[in-house]
Every structure is written in structure tokens, then in C-alpha cells.
Amino acid sequence: MSTVGVTGATGFMGSLLVRRLADLQDSEVRALTRTIAPALPRDPRIEWTQGDLSSYRDCVAFVAGLDAVVHLAHTNTPYTSNQHLPSDAAMNIVPLLTLIQAIRDAGTRPHVIYASTGGALYRVEGRRPLTEASPVEPTTSYGIQKFMGEHYLRLATHEGWITATVLRIGNPYGVLLPRQRLQGFIGVALSQILEGGPVRIFGDADNVRDFVHLDDVMRMFELAVARREGFDVYNVGSGVGRSVRSVLALLHEFSGVDAEVIYEPPTTDSRRLPAWIVLDIGKARQELGWRPKVEFETGLRAMCEQAVAAL
């Protein structure tokens, strides 16, 4: 029986992953959250733990006896992260380092799976899909912090405190997200459409992104949790680019609602958003046998139909 810890366990990816991991045979889950709410799923295979990653004592309690740790907790977005650099680092880098320090002091050498970014790291040169070896040149504090996190985990692996798998995830979709949120375009836009609009577009509507269904992302996490060796980095995407404008048209078509769209004027923050990001997923396919199974239009249509039916 292995025990897997999940930080950011009540986020949109964490809440799905906790349930998926709990369903695995011979697996128990320790889920870390800042607040224990009554609505959290009650399952004997899930241990809900209240704590703050900035607290060394809380981190020590969380990591005790864990065989693997999935680190999802992060508080900023590419769009807003440059606004206040010191507080941004304090909320994201310091908690990660506190977690690593607690693991180091425990001496348990778990496997750490880190949710990095596939959309805010790479330097785009032309329009060829980006591999894990492509040049990295983040233009936001968000991307810098994710890359910094990767290197701290590389250091920790080199020192023998952990082993680690880094997942550079594209643009995941599959669930509704709060309409005020500034990350997760599809989930946010569909919420805005179903609540009567308007849909707000930040940045160029012709920007191209690599959208990957959450079911496929969850399968990748499951594969990564089963690993126990070395340090490695994998892109997690579809390998196909779609413009924001084309996705918005499909959202209107599949939801049956033609909502108003507001294109926000360009700002310094929106100009930093890359115009084109598509991930090469060949490494994950070759080494882990992973590939996306959910075809984009099928997944998007199902998401829209489920959301409309739930109204």
C-alpha cells in the first residue's frame, strides 16, 4: 500500500486527482488544504489534512510517511504574476522550498510530481511544436517560478532527497471554472456563456494554444505517480494548436448560446502572452506510453452538454 500526498487538493485539477488516485488499487491519498470544508468528499481512502505550505511544521506533518507527493498548489496566473514580484515569490517559491526542506529532513525520499507549465516557459521560434529540449525563456513571473521550481527539484534529486517527474501541462479543460478566474479559458468562458455573458477575452483572440482534456492529464499524473526513479520532464498536451477565436465559436455552437464577447484593450500584461504554443508530446508517448485519448471536439461537446443539462 502506497500513500500519495497531494497539495492544492481542492483546486480544479487537485479535486479530480484526489478522487482518481483514491480509486487506484493499493493506494491511499493524503490531501492538503488550507480549510477543511463540509463539502469535501468523505472516503476512507482519503485523509484530508489542514495546513499551510509556508509552515515548516505543517509540511513536516504532511510529508510524514509519504511514498509520493503531487505538488499542484500555486496561487498566481501568467496574466497577473508580474504585478507584485516579492509577494508572488513568497506565495509560491517559499512554500515549495519549505516542502522540499521538510522532505529532506524526513529522509524518506518520496517521488515528487510537479505540475509545471507548457504554455509559459518556452521561447517560441517559428511554429514548430515545442519539445522538452526547446529553449526556455519565460516572460512572466509565473513562468520563471515554474522553471525555478523545476530546478529546485532537479537539485533535490541530485542531492538524493527525492526523485521527481515534472509535467509541463498545456491548457487543460473539462470542468466549469469561476467566471472571474483569469486562467483556464474554456472553463471560464463556458461559465460566462451559461451565466448570460459577456465573455471577456484578454489578449489576441487569434492566439493559438494546446488544449488537453483533464481526463488525459489525470492519466499522466497516474503514470507519474507510479515512477520511482531519477528526474525527468514531460510535455502534456494534445500536440495540436487551436486559436482562442475558433474555440469560442465551438463553445457557442455546442452550448446553443451566442453570448456577447468583449475583447479587452491590449495591456502590458496581455502583450506578454505568447501568440502560439503547441507542445510536442513524443517523449511521453515513447517513454511512458501516454497519448491523449479525448478528441478535442468530442470532449468540448460533452463538457458543454453536461453543463447545459445541469442548469
Side-chain angles (χ1 to χ4, degrees):
M1 180 71 70
S2 65
T3 304
V4 182
V6 179
T7 72
T10 55
F12 87 101
M13 284 201 295
S15 57
L16 293 175
L17 183 61
V18 164
R19 292 192 292 270
R20 290 281 290 253
L21 293 177
D23 287 338
L24 296 178
Q25 292 183 348
D26 300 324
S27 180
E28 294 181 346
V29 180
R30 184 177 301 157
L32 184 68
T33 179
R34 286 179 176 269
T35 305
I36 302 292
L40 293 176
R42 300 302 174 186
D43 187 317
R45 299 164 299 178
I46 302 173
E47 174 193 352
W48 288 99
T49 302
Q50 185 171 0
D52 184 343
L53 288 173
S54 295
S55 163
Y56 175 75
R57 182 176 64 180
D58 288 354
C59 285
V60 167
F62 172 65
V63 305
L66 293 180
D67 300 291
V69 178
V70 181
H71 184 58
L72 298 173
H74 203 87
T75 62
N76 66 6
T77 72
Y79 187 74
T80 61
S81 64
N82 286 15
Q83 293 177 6
H84 197 275
L85 302 181
S87 64
D88 201 41
M91 289 188 295
N92 294 296
I93 294 300
V94 172
L96 173 60
L97 297 183
T98 306
L99 180 67
I100 292 173
Q101 184 68 45
I103 291 171
R104 174 187 181 180
D105 294 345
T108 51
R109 201 168 183 264
H111 190 69
V112 177
I113 301 92
Y114 181 59
S116 188
T117 173
L121 281 185
Y122 295 113
R123 182 172 78 234
V124 179
E125 299 174 328
R127 296 209 164 191
R128 297 179 60 184
L130 298 151
T131 74
E132 293 83 354
S134 294
V136 171
E137 193 175 281
T139 59
T140 63
S141 176
Y142 176 89
I144 290 170
Q145 288 176 15
K146 289 292 190 180
F147 196 44
M148 189 183 300
E150 292 184 13
H151 278 290
Y152 273 116
L153 293 173
R154 189 188 301 273
L155 168 66
T157 300
H158 178 76
E159 293 296 319
W161 310 332
I162 64 170
T163 57
T165 300
V166 171
L167 303 182
R168 292 179 177 171
I169 303 168
N171 291 70
Y173 75 97
V175 297
L176 291 175
L177 295 171
R179 58 180 301 171
Q180 299 82 13
R181 186 180 164 101
L182 294 176
Q183 190 175 23
F185 165 66
I186 289 178
V188 172
L190 184 55
S191 289
Q192 291 170 336
I193 288 170
L194 297 180
E195 293 175 23
V199 179
R200 308 179 75 87
I201 302 296
F202 299 91
D204 192 332
D206 291 317
N207 284 348
V208 170
R209 296 290 179 265
D210 189 330
F211 296 98
V212 57
H213 197 277
L214 280 167
D215 281 352
D216 289 321
V217 177
M218 294 300 109
R219 286 193 302 105
M220 188 58 158
F221 274 113
E222 291 170 6
L223 289 170
V225 164
R227 292 168 57 84
R228 290 291 184 273
E229 71 281 351
F231 176 92
D232 226 323
V233 179
Y234 296 96
N235 285 339
V236 183
S238 68
V240 178
R242 294 174 174 85
S243 72
V244 170
R245 192 185 305 279
S246 68
V247 172
L248 185 57
L250 290 175
L251 285 171
H252 286 152
E253 177 185 345
F254 295 157
S255 68
V257 180
D258 190 13
E260 177 190 4
V261 179
I262 296 177
Y263 297 94
E264 297 291 345
T267 65
T268 300
D269 291 323
S270 67
R271 289 190 185 97
R272 293 191 190 98
L273 300 175
W276 189 91
I277 292 287
V278 178
L279 302 177
D280 184 311
I281 54 175
K283 182 178 178 182
R285 182 183 291 111
Q286 289 181 344
E287 297 186 7
L288 302 180
W290 177 91
R291 62 177 180 81
K293 294 182 177 180
V294 181
E295 193 276 329
F296 180 72
E297 290 198 12
T298 301
L300 190 65
R301 184 188 296 274
M303 178 185 173
C304 291
E305 290 177 351
Q306 290 167 8
V308 170
L311 289 178

